[in-house]
Structures are given as C-alpha cells and as structure tokens.
Amino acid sequence: MNITFDKNDDQLSAILTVHLTEADYSPAVDEKLKEYSKKAQIKGFRPGKVPVGLVRKMYGKGVLGEEINNLLGKAVDGYIKENNIKILGEPLPVPSDVNFDTDKEFDFKFELGLLPDFELPADQSITIDRHQVTLDDATLEETYDQIGRQFGESTNPEVSEEGDFLFGKLKKGDDEATERPVLLPINKVKNGVEKFIGVKPGDVLTFDLSDAFGGDASAIAAFSGHSKEEAANISGDYTLSVEKINRTTKPEHDQDLFDKVFGKDIVTSKEEFDEKVRTTVQENYDREAENLVNRQIIDKMVDATTVQIPTEFFKKWLVRANEGKLTAEQVEEHYSDYEKELKWSMIRNKVVEEQGLKVSNEEIIERTMQKIMGQFNLPEISEELQESVRGFADNYLRQDNGKNYVQEYEAILAEKVIENLRGKVVVNDNPISAEDFRTQGAS
C-alpha cells in the first residue's frame, strides 16, 4: 500500500491517493471466502464442504469490494491522524472507474478540505455592550395585564369597550391574498381608538394600520404577524372583519390568584405578590440581556477572526453530507450562515484546546438533576429523594444511546467557552429601560 498527499494550488484542499496492490487485500479476502465456504448452504453440497472456488465465483466480487472499503477506511483515517492533518468534515471519494473483474491494483482518490491554523483576536480588542435593564411602569402594567388575561374570567360580549380585544380577519384593502387572522388589543391603539369601541361581531372596520398604532413597528408586528421590518414599512388602509369580541375580567388580587401565579403559599400578601412579580420580571430581562451578550460575543469573535475556509470543498461537502436534504442551490443561498457556524465551531474548539477546558461526568449529572428538580418545582429535597432524582438523571442521560449525555456535555462546554471569552473582551454596561430593551436591545 502506498499513500500520497498532494495539496491543491489553493493550499486549502488536497487529494489523498491510496494505491493498493493484490498483496494488500488478498489475505483478508481469502480468509473471508474461507469463512463463507464453511457457512454457505448451497444445494448439492454438504454444509462446510462447499469449494472455495465456487464461493469465490459467487461472492468474490462482493467480498473484494467490502474488504477494500474496510481497508481504505482504516488507511485514510490512520494517515490523517498520524500526520495530524486538520480536515473539514469527512474525506470525499473522487469518482473513478474500477474493474474488480480484471484489475489487480487500484488507485483510490479522496478530496480533503483543510482547516488552516489561525489566531484569535487579541485580548480586550473586542467591545461588547451589556444592557442593564431597569423596569418602568409601562412594563409592569403590561405584566399585570398579562396576568389578568391569563387568570381572569373570559367572556365574549356583543359590543366592544376599551380594553377589549377584537378577533377577526385583517387584509390590505380588498386584497384577499393578504388576509390573516388577528387579535387586535384596543388598548394598544394610539390614534382613532373611538373607531374600535362600540363594535359588534360582523362589523368591518377600515383604518390606516400604521397611523392607528402610532407607527410603532413592534406593536404592529405583534398584532399583525408581520416582521418588524415589514411592519416599519406598512402604509395605507387595512380592513378588519370582526368575528368575535374577547373581554377578560381582571381577577381579584387575593390568595387564590397568588397561588395560581406562583404556587401554593409562595406569597401570602399583596405586597409580597408585587415584589415577586417585579423580581421575576427583572430576572427574565437580566437573563435575556445575558443571552444577548453571549450572542454578541459569538458574532463579534466570528467577525474579528480571520480564517481561510476551503469554500468550494465546504459547499460540496454540505451537499454530500446532507444528501436529499440540501441542494447545491440551497447551500449557495444560505452559505454565509453555514460559514459563520463553521468559523464559530473552529473558534470554540481552539479555545477548548488552548485553555484545556473540560466537562466532568459529575457536572453533567448535576446539571441534569437541577433540570429535573426545576421541572417538578423542587428547590430543596431530602437525601433519599436526591438519590431518586439522580437515578432519573442517569436513565435520561443513557437514553438514545447516550445522545442526551452528549447534548448536555456540549451545552456545558459551550457555556465554559463563552465564560472564558468574556474575560477576553471589554464589556461596557449600558443602562436601558425595559421598553427600550424590547424595541432596541433585543432586536
């Protein structure tokens, strides 16, 4: 066997050629045919007495192909590992004309995508804005409205009043193709609200959608189902065919509501309820702000890191690896996303290697136990119950041939990479109201 490795002119791809002689594969083929002759059941021959020559005639070509494939797989993988060649994806076989009936020696070629070395951006060269969200009265009022709608008594009155919702079909002018079901919150209308009060099922309202919501793209998007970009450019008259009026009577702020929202006896007074609502909303915004920081770290690290990607090979490999799911046209259309994902994967692996980041088995089990406890709302448990939860965690992590274990491992490792990179970027705190964060910070 002889293996040659030749880089292409771009230095980002290469051809690996494996030359096989009869001496490389013949012993394995002969051994396999002997096994076949012992097990084969062919009419006219006693079991174990089938001539090897007959078995070779019947199965020789298939056995030869199978053994050569096994030999190639080991040879290619071994060469790549022994020579520490960093490759993208998997080697791609180069089509060739092989005649197993007449040929004794074979050349098999494989195309490789090569991943070059690269440097991470210098420490403190990247700046990230971290939003410090402060709650405003409008946000808290909206939260209480949501609680009221979720836990209040719902009715469908005949005539609409301020605070009701109008359910129906919205379309641009008379264009039936644009029609879609919507739920219009009357209290979000800023201009011409009187047009939406005193409305009955069956009424058809015509109004300037952008003007009605004061040009608020976020509110228009939430109501109409359009994207923010589309909502920002909406103009002209729309018609709403009202089918039903939804009204929710706000619930009393009593123990029954407290228990429904936070669990039995978690809070026992209006003051505790208000504080718990504020704390919970603040925690949600803080969590979203942290997630935004993480996304910025990924985006800015990718943008600031120069990595040469074997583009043509990568496109070809994506199609081959996702055979039947991705076409060359689809890969071309979304290539920038695939390249960004690849670059981030390379950056992540480099950080793991350079910083020696590891995930222990105990970390994986502990994380899984915390998830299970959270699902059952168990902040603290006894030692006996803890053993039971650990058993649940072990079973969960073994499911799907360890797929869940791998997912938890990757999730923890990804968090460690982000945490490590946080110490290498400049983070500027940016005070912002919750309302501004919703419309700007989280967009």
Side-chain angles (χ1 to χ4, degrees), residues 268 386 429:
T268 56
Q386 193 167 20
D429 289 330

Side-chain angles (χ1 to χ4, degrees), residues 311-350:
T311 304
E312 294 309 312
F313 176 88
F314 187 29
K315 292 177 180 178
K316 192 185 304 182
W317 179 81
L318 283 169
V319 174
R320 191 80 64 90
N322 296 278
E323 191 172 1
K325 298 179 182 178
L326 272 180
T327 65
E329 292 74 21
Q330 289 171 321
V331 168
E332 198 67 44
E333 181 182 357
H334 301 286
Y335 179 72
S336 61
D337 294 330
Y338 294 124
E339 185 174 281
K340 176 182 176 182
E341 187 175 340
L342 173 62
K343 286 181 68 176
W344 170 242
S345 175
M346 294 171 66
I347 292 169
R348 185 179 60 208
N349 292 342
K350 190 175 184 69

